[in-house]
Amino acid sequence: MGIADPSKRLEAMPPYMFQELERQIAEKRAAGIDVISLGIGDPDEPTYPYIVAAMQEAVADPSTHRYPTNRGRDELRAAFAGFYERRFGVEIDAENEVIPAIGAKECIYNLCFAFLDRGGVALASDPGYPVYTGGPILAEATPELLPLVPELGFAPDLGAVPPEVAAQARLMFVNYPNNPTGAVVPEGFFELVVSFAREHEILVVHDNAYSETTYDGYVAPSFLATQGAKEVGVEVFSLSKGYNMTGWRCAAILGNAEAVQTYWRLKTNIDSGLFDAVQLAGAAALDGPSGPLERMNETYARRRDLVVGALREIGVEVSAPKGTIYVWAPVPEGHTSTSFAELVLEQAAVVVSPGSMYGPSGEGFFRIALTTPDDRIAEAVERMREHLA
Ligand SMILES: Cc1ncc(COP(=O)(O)O)c(C=O)c1O
């Protein structure tokens, strides 16, 4: 055993699917080729000015420079509660039903450690955000995949979950608007989730990373607005995508009070909360105007239409998503997700994500992120049209 050998837990993590593609990107760039990446979903526009101004003021105040509490400042918990009431019609007790998180990723990962024992089971949407499977594996538990069925609007068929798996499961990760498929929650699905969770005593974790990024008049609901949801679940709300704040690390867990307190109890052993200035800026973001978000969504919708139009022209049958910053499309006949992503890189010097990166049910699809400036997206789709038609 070498001194730097990883733990068995870490060794058990599946290999990073993007590795080979990343190597090829680096090779092309080194050869002077102008590669356009539509791979990662990281908003390219700056954080809205009113949030930056709140941060500037907060960071200049020395009282924000000391250890925060990881229960969160009153201002931020109140701002989340106010936002949930106004935006979703969901009542949140700011004292007991919300704790800030250092991003949704941290929260989801730590929920695995708060609720899963070794050998435990978590149900994870497939395809899905990688932490739904990586978190359980690192907690020495087992992620059981819930394939998202295109014919069901990219919802899992809960009736198809084997009874012995449902009986063992303690956590269930769902996410709408959905990464990577761009799907919005099918009518009635959250209600099914609540009754499934009640029947099998499973804590639902709804990852609400994209509710503020929607198009064509669609308004995404909170899972917590579903009758009975608070009895069986929590929601993780992140400021990363809607507010262009991926670098700030600002999110929260809201909902079932006992589950929220258990998460907090775990966190007191792990981290020391969000920088107080970020908490104040986060509160300003949530209390702020909706205009900047609406304008951002117009930008994404314009890019979405550009991408969807170009893909249809080259024969890819794709529907325009009503939410998220992704276009999810089937790969052409004769290709796997990876072989198609490699072809696009080779022929057009454009990076798309192979769907299989997000789980086995992502095979046969690729994902395009809309977080690249308009002119670069236009250039990328032009190249795809030219080289792949
Ligand atoms: C579904 C989903 N959840 C969570 C995250 C991460 O959010 P955060 O920046 O708050 O950690 C992402 C980021 O891509 C995501 O797509």
Side-chain angles (χ1 to χ4, degrees):
M1 178 113 173
I3 53 162
D5 281 354
S7 64
K8 293 198 177 64
R9 200 179 300 118
L10 184 53
E11 279 292 3
M13 288 290 283
Y16 181 50
M17 301 278 296
F18 221 47
Q19 224 160 20
E20 176 54 18
L21 207 55
E22 267 180 4
R23 194 194 58 73
Q24 293 172 7
I25 295 165
E27 201 176 271
K28 288 220 168 308
R29 287 201 166 131
I33 295 169
D34 172 30
V35 176
I36 302 176
S37 179
L38 308 179
I40 292 171
D42 186 357
D44 54 305
E45 297 266 332
T47 305
Y48 310 131
Y50 75 93
I51 305 172
V52 174
M55 180 68 175
Q56 283 168 328
E57 190 183 324
V59 81
D61 174 356
S63 76
T64 64
H65 297 177
R66 306 187 71 197
Y67 282 122
T69 80
N70 51 19
R71 182 162 180 269
R73 293 181 72 104
D74 290 348
E75 296 94 328
L76 183 56
R77 280 183 287 103
F80 272 114
F83 178 82
Y84 259 63
E85 174 75 57
R86 282 192 311 279
R87 169 65 181 84
F88 299 119
V90 170
E91 206 176 302
I92 293 291
D93 170 6
E95 283 302 306
N96 300 306
E97 294 181 339
V98 52
I99 295 284
I102 311 173
K105 188 175 188 178
E106 173 267 295
C107 186
I108 293 161
Y109 172 83
N110 277 327
L111 285 171
C112 296
F113 283 81
F115 293 101
L116 296 174
D117 288 308
R118 178 178 297 151
V121 169
L123 303 176
S125 295
D126 161 36
Y129 186 57
V131 187
Y132 308 155
T133 48
I137 291 171
L138 287 170
E140 296 182 69
T142 306
E144 290 283 352
L145 301 180
L146 291 177
L148 301 186
V149 185
E151 295 74 28
L152 296 178
F154 290 106
D157 179 359
L158 297 178
V161 178
E164 64 281 9
V165 170
Q168 280 182 303
R170 284 222 54 202
L171 287 180
M172 172 173 178
F173 295 113
V174 284
N175 156 232
Y176 294 95
N178 181 263
N179 176 17
T181 68
V184 298
V185 66
E187 188 75 35
F189 178 68
F190 281 157
E191 286 77 3
L192 290 178
V193 169
V194 169
S195 56
F196 179 83
R198 218 181 246 144
E199 182 184 345
H200 300 289
E201 295 188 44
I202 298 171
L203 180 69
V204 178
V205 178
H206 179 245
D207 178 357
N208 190 10
Y210 295 98
S211 61
E212 303 318 292
T213 306
T214 57
Y215 317 113
D216 308 335
Y218 175 77
V219 179
S222 160
F223 169 68
L224 298 178
T226 315
Q227 180 99 34
K230 250 198 224 172
E231 288 154 37
V232 296
V234 290
E235 180 156 276
V236 184
F237 181 87
S238 172
L239 275 66
S240 282
K241 311 290 171 145
Y243 295 84
N244 297 344
M245 289 176 72
T246 47
W248 299 53
R249 316 310 301 134
C250 189
I253 181 171
L254 307 103
N256 185 279
E258 248 183 285
V260 167
Q261 302 306 313
T262 303
Y263 164 77
W264 177 35
R265 181 167 145 207
L266 177 82
K267 263 171 82 74
T268 56
N269 292 286
I270 296 175
D271 64 59
S272 300
L274 280 78
F275 179 23
D276 268 322
V278 169
Q279 294 196 45
L280 290 168
L286 293 164
D287 289 340
S290 58
L293 286 90
E294 284 155 20
R295 281 190 289 281
M296 199 61 231
N297 287 344
E298 282 165 19
T299 298
Y300 289 137
R302 193 171 61 235
R303 295 175 183 173
R304 173 200 67 169
D305 293 343
L306 207 60
V307 167
V308 166
L311 289 176
R312 285 181 181 155
E313 270 182 47
I314 60 171
V316 176
E317 276 178 44
V318 59
S319 46
K322 286 207 184 79
T324 78
I325 45 181
Y326 309 109
V327 171
W328 182 248
V331 299
E333 286 268 325
H335 277 287
T336 64
S337 293
T338 310
S339 76
F340 184 67
E342 285 175 2
L343 178 82
V344 177
L345 178 63
E346 205 45 54
Q347 308 261 312
V350 170
V351 179
V352 300
S353 307
S356 51
M357 257 185 74
Y358 306 94
S361 299
E363 180 51 57
F365 292 89
F366 65 100
R367 193 193 80 171
I368 284 180
L370 302 170
T371 49
T372 298
D374 287 39
D375 58 332
R376 295 291 280 169
I377 295 227
E379 160 84 24
V381 298
E382 193 44 51
R383 286 191 204 168
M384 287 171 74
R385 221 181 342 235
E386 193 178 321
H387 296 283
L388 298 168

